[in-house]
C-alpha cells in the first residue's frame, strides 16, 4: 500500500466530515514510539525490526484493552490481563517473531521481564505496562534479547516513531496498517493514530490481532472502554481471514489527554470521537482482511433474518467457507457454494427459503435459482470488493462479516512458514 | 490409484481375517449396474460418463440410507428421503455434473422424473428408487437428458458394470473409490461391494458424499439400518476435507439376499459382516480424505479428555484448521497451530493444560513446549499419514477425525471449478 493510496479506501467505511487523514504526521501529542531489530525474527540483511515500544509521557494517561478469548491464550496476554491496570496503561512493549505462546511457566516469567523492562524505559510502574508478542507458537522466547531490544528502543523513542513501531509488530503482513487522523470536536481538534498488524489466524471472537490506538484527547477510562468495546465489535470482531483464533490478539486504546480537549460522556464530542474511532478501526480491519496472507479480494456478507443466532451462524459459515473463499479468489460468481454454506450453518432445516443477492444481482429466491444476467454478475465479482446479501426467513436481525479470499499465496505463506 | 495399490492401504483400518479383496470381480449376486454419457457434464472427448444406474433384480431386496443434514439439502435428497421406501430400495439412479440443488419446485419435479425413469428401467415401483445428484449447485437440471441417460443405462446393465457406474458418479475426484470384497461368514461366503465419490465439500454431519454399497447377503432391513448407521458414524462422519457440508450427500446399503447366506441379528455373522462393512467404509472415507481435491497427506487427530463435547469440538477444530492443514501439506511439524486450534475450540479456558503428541513424539505437555528431537519429528511428518494425539484435562472420552491437507491443488480445483 503506497502512501498514494488514501487510507480510507473501502466503500464499507463511513468517514465523518469531521475526520481528516494526515499521512506522515506521526503520533498525537504526549506519545513517543520506536522499533528496533533485536534478533528475534530470523536473520536477514538488513535485519528486520522486531521489538517495539510505545510510551505515553503523561501521568494521567487512561486506556482500555481487549484480548483474544482463546483457551490457549499466551503468557503476554495473561500477564497483561491479570497484572496490569488496563484503565491506565502508559507503555506498550511488543515483540514479533515469537508469540511466547504454549511456553508455560518460563513464558510467564519472560512476559513479566518484558513488563519490567517496559516500565523502566517508560519511567513508570510495571502495572502500567502492557506486553504483547506475535509470531511462532511453541518456542521459548529469548527474553534477554527482548529486554536488550526494549532498552535500545527506549533510547530511540520519537514522536514520529510510529513507522518503526509498525515495522516492529509485523510478521507475515504484506503492507503496513496505520494512520494518523485529526478529528474536529466542538472543544478543539484532537489527533487519533493507530498501528495494526494481522494477516492470518484471524477470526476475532473479540479482538483478533494486534492494534494499538493513541489519542491526545482527554477521555475518561470508562468512556475509552465503552468506545473501544463498541468499535472492536464493529471492526476486528467482524473479519475473518481463515476462521482461526490467535493466542495473542490484543487491542489497546491509550488516551494521553495532552491536547486538553475533553471528550465528555454522552456528549456530541463523544459521538464524533466515536465515529472517528469506528471509521479508523473498520478501515484497519478491512486492511487486515485485504492483506489476508495473499488475498486478492475482500468480501462482505450481510445476513438478515428473524433468528439472531442463525443470522450470526450463517454469516460466519459463509465468511469461513473455503469454497466461497476460493470462488471469491477466482472471481467466480459461484453462488451455489453460498447456499451450501448456509445449509451447513443451519442443519436439519431443509427445505429452507434462502435468498441470495450478489452485488445487487438476485440469484436465488426462496431457495431456488432465478434467472439473471450472468455476464453482468461475472463483471461485478471481478472487482476488489464483493458484497453478498443473504435473506433468511423472518425479520429483525442483521449482521455482517468481512472476509478475505483463499488463493495460492495463502498456501505459499502457510505451508512454508515454519516453526 | 492403480489396481496395483492394495485397496486396504491405511494403518488406521483394521481388516478382519475373514475379509478378502477381489479386484475386478464386479458386483455381488443379484446386482447389475451401468454408467453412460448423457451430456450433463461439460462436453469433452471422449464424453465423460455422467448418469449411473444400480439395480437389484431381487424383489426381496432390503436397504438402509443416510443423508446430509444440510439445511439446503437438494431436491433428490428430499425426494428420496420423503417419497421412497428407504428399507426396500432396489434401484439407485444418479447423475453427476449438476447437483439439482437450490432449484426449488422445478428441481423437485426433475428429481421425481428421475425416480420414475429409474423405476421403469428397474421394473419396480417408484418408491423403491433412490435418486442422487452431484455437481454444480444452482443450475436447473436438464431432466430430459438424465431420463434419456437412464434409458440407455437400463439397456447397458451388467453384473460387472460397477466400473462404469463409478465413473458416472465422479466429479472432481482424482481417482476411483470402489472395491469388491468377499466375506467368510459361518453360513457361507458373501460379497460386499461399494462405489464412492467425494473429494471436497466434505464434513459429514452424518453421511457426506455419495456411497453405494451392495451385498448378496440376506440382511433384514432393521439390521442393515443398524450396521450402516454405526459404520457411517465411524467412517464418513469422521472425515473432513474442508469443513463444508454438501447439499447432496447420500449413503445407501442394498442387500439383495441372492447368496442365500443369512446375517442374523446379534449373531457372529452380524459381527463379522459388520467388521467387514466397517473396514470397507473406513478405507473409502480415508480414500476421500486422501483424494481431498489435491491432497498430498492425510492426518488423523485423536483427542482424549474428560468432557465429551469439548473432545469433539477440539477434534473438529484441529481437522478443519487451514493452518494445521497447510502445515500438514508442507510436511511441517508446526504444532503451535494445533495449540491455536485447541484454543479456538475452547474459548475462555486459558490457561489450558493441553498435551500434544505427533507421531509418538511429545511436543507439548500441560500447555507448555517440551524439548524433543526436531529432526526425528520432521522426518515423521513427511510420510503419507500423520497422527496427532491431543490430551485435554480429565478422562473418559475419546474421538478421532481424519483430514486432508490444504495445498495448491485445492485452490486450483476450486478457484477454477465454475458455475
Amino acid at each position: 500500500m503506497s502512501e498514494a493510496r488514501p487510507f480510507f479506501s473501502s466503500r464499507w467505511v463511513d468517514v465523518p466530515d469531521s475526520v481528516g487523514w494526515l499521512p506522515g504526521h506521526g503520533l498525537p501529542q504526549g506519545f513517543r514510539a520506536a522499533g528496533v531489530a533485536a534478533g528475534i525474527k530470523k536473520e536477514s540483511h538488513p535485519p528486520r525490526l522486531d521489538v517495539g515500544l510505545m510510551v505515553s509521557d503523561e501521568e494521567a494517561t487512561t486506556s482500555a484493552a481487549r484480548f483474544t478469548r482463546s483457551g490457549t491464550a499466551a503468557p503476554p496476554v495473561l500477564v497483561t490481563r491479570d497484572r496490569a491496570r488496563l484503565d491506565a496503561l502508559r507503555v506498550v512493549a511488543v515483540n514479533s517473531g515469537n508469540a511466547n505462546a504454549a511456553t508455560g511457566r518460563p513464558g510467564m516469567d519472560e512476559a513479566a521481564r518484558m513488563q519490567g523492562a517496559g516500565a523502566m524505559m517508560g519511567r513508570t510502574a510495571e502495572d502500567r505496562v502492557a506486553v504483547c508478542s506475535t509470531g511462532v507458537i511453541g518456542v521459548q522466547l529469548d527474553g534477554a534479547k527482548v529486554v536488550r531490544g526494549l532498552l535500545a528502543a527506549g533510547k530511540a523513542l520519537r514522536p514520529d516513531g510510529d513507522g518503526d513501531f509498525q515495522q516492529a509488530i509485523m510478521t507475515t503482513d504484506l503492507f503496513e496498517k496505520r494512520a494518523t487522523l485529526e478529528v474536529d470536536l466542538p472543544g478543539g481538534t484532537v489527533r487519533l493514530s493507530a498501528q495494526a498488524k494481522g494477516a492470518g489466524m484471524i477470526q476475532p471472537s473479540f479482538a483478533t490481532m494486534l492494534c494499538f490506538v493513541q489519542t491526545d484527547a482527554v477521555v475518561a477510562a470508562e468512556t475509552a472502554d465503552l468506545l473501544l468495546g463498541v468499535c472492536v465489535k464493529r471492526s476486528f470482531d467482524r473479519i475473518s481471514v481463515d476462521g482461526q483464533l490467535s493466542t495473542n490478539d490484543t487491542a489497546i486504546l491509550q488516551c494521553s489527554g495532552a491536547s486538553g480537549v475533553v471528550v465528555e460522556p454522552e456528549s456530541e464530542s463523544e459521538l464524533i470521537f466515536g465515529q472517528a474511532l469506528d471509521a479508523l478501526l473498520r478501515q484497519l480491519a478491512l486492511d487486515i482482511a485485504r492483506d489476508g496472507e495473499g488475498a486478492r479480494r475482500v468480501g462482505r456478507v450481510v445476513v438478515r433474518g428473524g433468528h439472531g443466532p442463525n443470522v450470526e451462524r450463517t454469516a460466519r459459515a459463509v465468511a469461513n467457507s473455503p469454497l466461497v473463499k476460493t470462488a471469491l479468489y477466482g472471481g467466480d460468481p459461484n453462488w451455489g457454494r453460498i447456499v451450501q454454506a448456509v445449509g451447513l450453518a443451519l442443519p436439519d432445516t431443509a427445505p429452507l427459503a434462502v435468498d441470495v443477492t450478489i452485488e445487487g444481482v438476485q440469484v436465488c429466491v426462496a431457495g431456488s435459482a432465478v434467472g439473471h444476467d450472468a455476464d453482468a454478475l461475472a463483471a461485478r465479482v471481478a472487482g476488489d470488493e464483493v458484497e453478498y446479501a443473504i435473506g433468511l426467513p423472518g425479520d429483525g436481525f442483521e449482521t455482517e462479516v468481512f472476509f478475505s479470499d483463499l488463493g495460492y499465496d495463502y498456501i505459499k505463506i502457510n505451508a512454508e512458514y515454519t516453526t
Side-chain angles (χ1 to χ4, degrees), chain A:
Chain A
M1 188 171 69
S2 72
E3 284 289 304
R5 183 168 177 274
F7 174 69
F8 289 112
S9 58
S10 174
R11 61 177 154 146
W12 294 317
V13 176
D14 291 325
V15 185
D17 293 339
S18 52
V19 170
W21 175 50
L22 303 176
H25 274 58
L27 294 163
Q29 294 176 64
F31 290 96
R32 293 179 301 146
V36 300
I40 315 291
K41 283 179 179 165
K42 280 190 197 148
E43 280 186 41
S44 71
H45 299 282
R48 290 185 294 163
L49 308 191
D50 49 18
V51 167
L53 186 64
M54 174 69 64
V55 173
S56 167
D57 291 321
E58 301 289 332
E59 172 62 26
T61 299
T62 60
S63 68
R66 292 292 184 276
F67 303 98
T68 180
R69 289 181 55 202
S70 171
T72 52
V77 168
L78 302 180
V79 163
T80 304
R81 194 186 66 187
D82 299 339
R83 304 187 195 169
R85 289 176 54 195
L86 300 179
D87 59 350
L89 295 170
R90 280 185 58 192
V91 177
V92 178
V94 198
N95 76 276
S96 58
N98 185 321
N100 190 12
T103 45
R105 168 58 49 193
M108 294 294 286
D109 293 343
E110 297 302 352
R113 279 177 73 187
M114 278 179 73
Q115 194 178 33
M120 192 188 313
M121 300 323 290
R123 298 170 191 273
T124 187
E126 292 190 3
D127 64 2
R128 299 195 70 177
V129 179
V131 292
C132 307
S133 299
T134 178
V136 170
I137 299 173
V139 177
Q140 293 296 343
L141 179 65
D142 186 339
K145 280 187 182 173
V146 177
V147 167
R148 278 199 300 274
L150 287 171
L151 299 185
K155 291 171 190 152
L157 288 168
R158 292 190 330 208
D160 62 350
D162 53 329
D164 287 346
F165 180 82
Q166 165 84 69
Q167 289 293 325
I169 66 175
M170 288 164 71
T171 56
T172 57
D173 302 66
L174 299 177
F175 54 81
E176 295 196 345
K177 296 159 195 83
R178 66 183 170 104
T180 302
L181 308 178
E182 63 179 1
V183 187
D184 292 328
L185 300 181
T189 298
V190 299
R191 288 201 176 168
L192 189 57
S193 62
Q195 309 79 39
K197 71 84 51 174
M201 226 188 270
I202 300 290
Q203 169 177 338
S205 277
F206 207 56
T208 70
M209 14 46 65
L210 302 183
C211 182
F212 307 106
V213 188
Q214 304 83 31
T215 183
D216 50 17
V218 178
V219 187
E222 299 73 27
T223 305
D225 188 65
L226 176 79
L227 292 175
L228 183 66
V230 169
C231 292
V232 162
K233 276 209 175 67
R234 280 177 40 84
S235 57
F236 305 120
D237 198 26
R238 307 312 311 172
I239 56 173
S240 170
V241 170
D242 53 9
Q244 300 297 283
L245 179 62
S246 165
T247 49
N248 293 62
D249 298 332
T250 303
I252 292 174
L253 167 63
Q254 293 175 281
C255 313
S256 72
S259 71
V261 177
V262 182
V263 174
E264 293 282 0
E266 299 180 36
S267 67
E268 193 187 342
S269 278
E270 189 192 48
L271 181 69
I272 297 173
F273 185 82
Q275 287 172 337
L277 184 65
D278 183 60
L280 176 61
L281 298 197
R282 271 174 81 90
Q283 183 62 52
L284 287 171
L286 278 158
D287 283 348
I288 288 173
R290 183 182 311 280
D291 190 318
E293 298 200 330
R296 184 190 281 173
R297 296 192 177 86
V298 177
R300 177 182 188 237
V301 55
V302 182
V303 183
R304 298 180 184 86
H307 185 268
N310 281 357
V311 164
E312 174 70 15
R313 218 171 276 142
T314 298
R316 293 278 175 203
V318 170
N320 286 333
S321 165
L323 291 167
V324 173
K325 284 169 179 290
T326 46
L328 177 63
Y329 175 80
D332 179 0
N334 193 331
W335 62 270
R337 296 181 180 180
I338 303 220
V339 171
Q340 176 272 140
V342 175
L344 168 67
L346 308 177
D348 304 326
T349 60
L352 183 71
V354 58
D355 302 331
V356 180
T357 300
I358 302 179
E359 284 292 324
V361 179
Q362 210 166 35
V363 293
C364 182
V365 174
S368 185
V370 292
H372 58 268
D373 182 338
D375 290 339
L377 180 60
R380 294 195 198 187
V381 298
D384 282 351
E385 294 183 340
V386 180
E387 182 156 317
Y388 306 85
I390 296 174
L392 299 177
D395 289 305
F397 293 90
E398 174 175 330
T399 193
E400 65 180 347
V401 176
F402 300 102
F403 59 101
S404 46
D405 61 19
L406 174 59
Y408 295 104
D409 286 351
Y410 183 87
I411 308 295
K412 187 170 179 194
I413 290 168
N414 284 297
E416 294 165 19
Y417 179 76
T418 183
T419 42

